[in-house]
Amino acid sequence: MPLQGEQQTAASSLLRKVTKTLRGTMDTVRYKSVVLTLLYLRSVSWEFEQARRWAEAEGLREEHLLHGVRGQRWIPPLARWDTLIRRVRDPDDDPVTALDEALDAMRRSDGDLADLFPPADALIGDMRRSQVTELFTILEEPLDAASYENLLGEFARFEGKKGGEFHTPRSVVRLLVETLQPERGRVYDPCCGSGGMLIQTARFVEEQGGDPDADMAYYGQEANVRSWQLARMNLHVNGVQADVRRADALERDPVWSLKADWVLANPPFNMRDWARDEGVLHWRYGVSPHSNANFAWLQHAVDRLSDQGSAGLVLANGSMSSKQMGEDEIRRAMVEGDLVACVVVLPPQLFSITLKSACVWILTKDKSPQGKAGLTDRRGQTLFIDARAMGDMVGRAHRVLTNSQRSEIAGAYHAWRGTGRRGAVYQDVPGFCRSVGGDEIRRNRHILTPGRYVGGAPLEAPAPGGGQGDGLIGKLERELLELLERSDQLAGRIRLHLDT
């Protein structure tokens, strides 16, 4: 398998070629649908061709694949890539008609695909024939599953704020997965975007020597129709069988009876005008204001957890300290309910939608040793981790958490919880992590900003001959992070005044 950097390069190179071809015809949001739909057709067609060759070598007819031999989805002749690209290149054929017939054949062959594809005219109807031909040529060589996912990330960066609606940066997803360590059971993402949380969970299970199909069951919901379609295609390309519904989890929850062992989510930051219904039973800690659904998502996650389940959610920093319209009371009730296991503040520039940093909430219903599990008893305690100084810059405006940085954050949590490697002992690290009891959190009025609890990192003497430059840079960086945090708090106050 290619290295991640090679996969990223392949995705970036493909996107540059596509952009050059389609420039002036449609915007990025439009050709995202074009490219990802066509790549999906190319991918499933390639998989079918491999299965067909296997059947031929086994002395079986192609028709045997109609019955699900080897779990292979049947691809009708009209939808196979070699047929489609031959028709697109035929000057006597119409590319829109060819694609429309291919998509219709896929819909008729499998009822699960009936609502997966946009109309062919919406995809390529306004493209010149030369553009269509060149685009199919660019896409002729398939990307592997990891590169397909990287391409989603490239589109997200291109789209900026809108990109955050369907894609969470991989290093953030991996942080949640590596912290929660889902290895067996049911995993649920109530706002799954393009399915990255579920895919990375499956990969983590496989990396740990498990069977991602037998050991885990995957559930997701997504309100945006195009993101829902992308999620299903992305999951299929990556070989993850998931039950993903098109629904707003806060308004109409088709999996209301689900009790998941793991909930992972990156809800829309500070979502306004959500489907607020005060009569919903699972708002047991308080009803979030119309202007911000952060605490609705947190409570929804808690309601979907099994008795010993854990959840990880990425939220805007304001969720740790906001006071407007009763949010502080909901936070207080959740802390007093002993649901908050860990709060991690992340570095800025991880997300294409904002230069500010976000935070991760780790929730659990059971901080006890859990019987035979023999975990560390953490009832009445919360772990705070300040990771604002972490992250490596990739380009001028984007930051990622490296493997070692994610391991440091997740390792602190595992040592604290007693799920780390044998013999690992948790210790507070000034400026980075600290375990805090409920009394201290109460004295801080249930504000959960890690900086209040972990203190400052010890200052190191400059290296001989190194001067004072490094110390000054560190001081300025800390001041910048404090200003960004203050900016989040002021934004919350402004939203409050706008809503009143």
Side-chain angles (χ1 to χ4, degrees), residues 249-250 253 279-286 296 299-301 303-304:
L250 299 183
D253 189 354
V280 175
L281 294 179
H282 64 245
W283 307 141
R284 64 189 67 180
Y285 302 101
Q299 292 185 80
H300 178 78
D303 192 66
R304 289 297 169 270

Side-chain angles (χ1 to χ4, degrees), residues 208-373:
Q208 302 307 306
D211 184 334
D213 295 324
D215 295 342
M216 297 292 296
Y218 308 86
Y219 300 87
Q221 293 178 216
E222 174 54 48
N224 181 281
V225 61
R226 190 56 192 138
S227 295
W228 172 68
Q229 292 170 330
L230 286 176
R232 293 170 64 199
M233 288 191 285
N234 194 22
L235 287 159
H236 183 200
V237 167
N238 281 275
V240 179
Q241 299 297 318
D243 180 356
V244 177
R245 312 286 184 92
R246 184 193 170 196
D248 181 342
L250 299 183
E251 178 179 22
R252 181 181 60 84
D253 189 354
V255 293
W256 61 271
S257 62
L258 174 68
K259 293 300 178 183
D261 302 288
W262 319 97
V263 176
L264 296 93
N266 175 23
F269 286 5
N270 304 320
M271 188 173 79
R272 301 170 61 89
D273 301 323
W274 60 284
R276 186 177 185 266
D277 183 353
E278 295 189 19
V280 175
L281 294 179
H282 64 245
W283 307 141
R284 64 189 67 180
Y285 302 101
V287 184
S288 296
H290 276 296
S291 59
N292 197 321
N294 287 340
F295 285 93
W297 288 112
L298 286 167
Q299 292 185 80
H300 178 78
V302 171
D303 192 66
R304 289 297 169 270
L305 284 178
S306 61
D307 289 342
Q308 294 184 335
S310 295
L313 290 87
V314 183
L315 295 172
N317 274 355
S319 61
M320 300 182 293
S321 59
S322 58
K323 298 179 181 179
Q324 64 262 31
M325 303 184 74
E327 288 182 322
D328 53 340
E329 288 302 311
I330 303 175
R331 186 172 56 249
R332 180 197 62 78
M334 294 185 71
V335 171
E336 293 300 327
D338 210 15
L339 294 169
V340 185
C342 179
V343 178
V344 183
V345 63
L346 299 173
Q349 296 177 282
L350 290 178
F351 296 84
S352 58
I353 60 174
T354 177
L355 294 177
K356 296 179 289 187
S357 60
C359 62
V360 170
W361 288 59
I362 304 296
L363 308 174
T364 185
K365 285 188 171 181
D366 187 357
K367 296 182 187 177
S368 76
Q370 297 185 11
K372 293 181 179 179

Side-chain angles (χ1 to χ4, degrees), residues 128-184:
R128 298 187 301 273
R129 172 178 283 276
S130 60
Q131 288 179 307
V132 175
T133 303
E134 186 173 353
L135 178 61
F136 271 81
T137 300
I138 292 171
L139 303 179
E140 191 165 3
E141 289 298 322
L143 295 173
D144 61 20
S147 294
Y148 189 91
E149 196 176 1
N150 275 326
L151 187 59
L152 281 165
E154 291 292 315
F155 275 117
R157 279 192 286 277
F158 262 54
E159 293 186 32
K161 185 174 182 179
K162 284 187 174 293
E165 296 175 0
F166 68 87
H167 180 79
T168 304
R170 178 178 296 179
S171 69
V172 177
V173 178
R174 288 294 302 193
L175 175 63
L176 262 66
V177 171
E178 290 164 13
T179 301
L180 291 181
Q181 290 187 324
E183 295 182 352
R184 185 178 296 273

Side-chain angles (χ1 to χ4, degrees), residues 91-107:
D92 296 324
D93 209 337
D94 176 38
V96 175
T97 300
L99 181 57
D100 189 48
E101 291 177 357
L103 296 177
D104 188 55
M106 289 287 285
R107 295 185 189 102

